[in-house]
């Protein structure tokens, strides 16, 4: 399969809650769909350090601390508010309190392309709670969206931040992308 020349669109956003076992090992839940995706932006987080000697850049190094991002979508699903943001359902009401501790998740999504959609996974994402805004209807109805800021940090066990499909991704891996959080596995050299 050839490579995409361009990317556009955003769809198939899913999240999988991370659970930490008693031994400290982290496991991912089954990915759940987050409908109503509008926009997702990722800004690299890290530094480029330069050391000067002999009147030139003698050494340079960069650090990858993941990404800072925003996710803009329609109303956040109740399950996401409860299982990820930490809100509680009390007497039929969603309650947010000052003691909320968001749970980290894997975030799965795809950008369409001229050949095939590129699927992505961010392994260790922590969302901040969304703001709340709306405005009066005028001659046309304007839909309000929620913007969630998040941090996508390197995974503790191996430092991985994200993976994405490529022109060499097998159909089996591509088709199972949203059934479980995919992992990149080194294939044995034959």
């Amino acid at each position: 399969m050839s490579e995409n020349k361009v990317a556009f669109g955003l769809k198939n956003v899913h999240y999988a809650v991370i659970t930490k076992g008693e031994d400290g090992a982290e496991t991912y839940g089954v990915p759940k769909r987050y409908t109503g995706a509008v926009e997702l932006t990722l800004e690299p987080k890290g530094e480029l350090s330069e050391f000067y000697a002999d009147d030139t850049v003698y050494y340079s190094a960069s650090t990858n601390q993941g990404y800072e991002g925003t996710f803009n979508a329609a109303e956040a699903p109740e399950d996401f508010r409860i299982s990820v943001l930490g809100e509680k359902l009390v007497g039929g009401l969603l309650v947010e309190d000052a003691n909320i501790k968001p749970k980290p998740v894997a975030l799965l999504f795809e950008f369409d392309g001229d050949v095939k959609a590129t699927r992505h996974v961010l392994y260790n994402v922590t969302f901040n709670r969304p703001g709340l805004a709306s405005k009066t209807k005028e001659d046309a109805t304007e839909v309000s969206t929620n913007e969630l800021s998040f941090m996508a940090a390197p995974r503790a066990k191996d430092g991985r931040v994200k993976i994405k499909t490529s022109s060499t991704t097998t159909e089996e891996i591509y088709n199972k992308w949203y059934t479980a959080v995919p992992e990149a596995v080194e294939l044995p050299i034959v």
Side-chain angles (χ1 to χ4, degrees), residues 69-140:
T70 56
F71 175 51
N72 195 338
E75 283 292 315
E78 282 185 13
D79 178 74
F80 181 84
R81 288 184 168 281
I82 294 166
S83 64
V84 178
L85 298 180
E87 294 181 12
K88 296 178 182 126
L89 196 56
V90 179
L93 303 171
L94 275 174
V95 176
E96 174 187 330
D97 66 46
N99 299 314
I100 286 177
K101 296 204 181 341
K103 294 181 181 150
V105 298
L107 186 65
L108 301 83
F109 56 93
E110 66 186 67
F111 299 145
D112 213 347
D114 58 305
V115 177
K116 191 173 193 175
T118 301
R119 295 180 170 174
H120 300 257
V121 173
L122 293 167
Y123 281 118
N124 183 18
V125 174
T126 303
F127 280 97
N128 199 358
R129 60 197 166 97
L132 183 62
S134 195
K135 65 181 189 178
T136 191
K137 288 192 323 184
E138 297 175 1
D139 56 343

Side-chain angles (χ1 to χ4, degrees), residues 10-13 33-40 71-74 109:
L10 169 65
K11 62 184 175 186
N12 286 328
V13 175
R33 182 105 190 243
Y34 191 121
T35 58
V38 176
E39 183 179 10
L40 180 105
F71 175 51
N72 195 338
F109 56 93

Side-chain angles (χ1 to χ4, degrees), residues 158-169:
D158 58 13
R160 286 191 177 164
V161 176
K162 82 178 201 69
I163 61 170
K164 69 178 189 173
T165 57
S166 72
S167 62
T168 62
T169 301

Side-chain angles (χ1 to χ4, degrees), residues 2-48:
S2 58
E3 295 179 44
N4 285 324
K5 293 179 184 152
V6 294
F8 49 87
L10 169 65
K11 62 184 175 186
N12 286 328
V13 175
H14 288 68
Y15 59 95
V17 176
I18 299 172
T19 304
K20 190 175 262 190
E22 290 180 20
D23 62 353
E26 294 179 338
T27 56
Y28 296 102
V30 175
K32 295 180 181 179
R33 182 105 190 243
Y34 191 121
T35 58
V38 176
E39 183 179 10
L40 180 105
T41 60
L42 297 170
E43 292 296 327
K45 186 170 169 41
E47 296 285 328
L48 179 61

Side-chain angles (χ1 to χ4, degrees), residues 11 29 40 54 60 62 67 103 126 147:
K11 62 184 175 186
L40 180 105
D54 297 329
S60 65
S62 67
Y67 296 90
K103 294 181 181 150
T126 303
E147 184 173 274

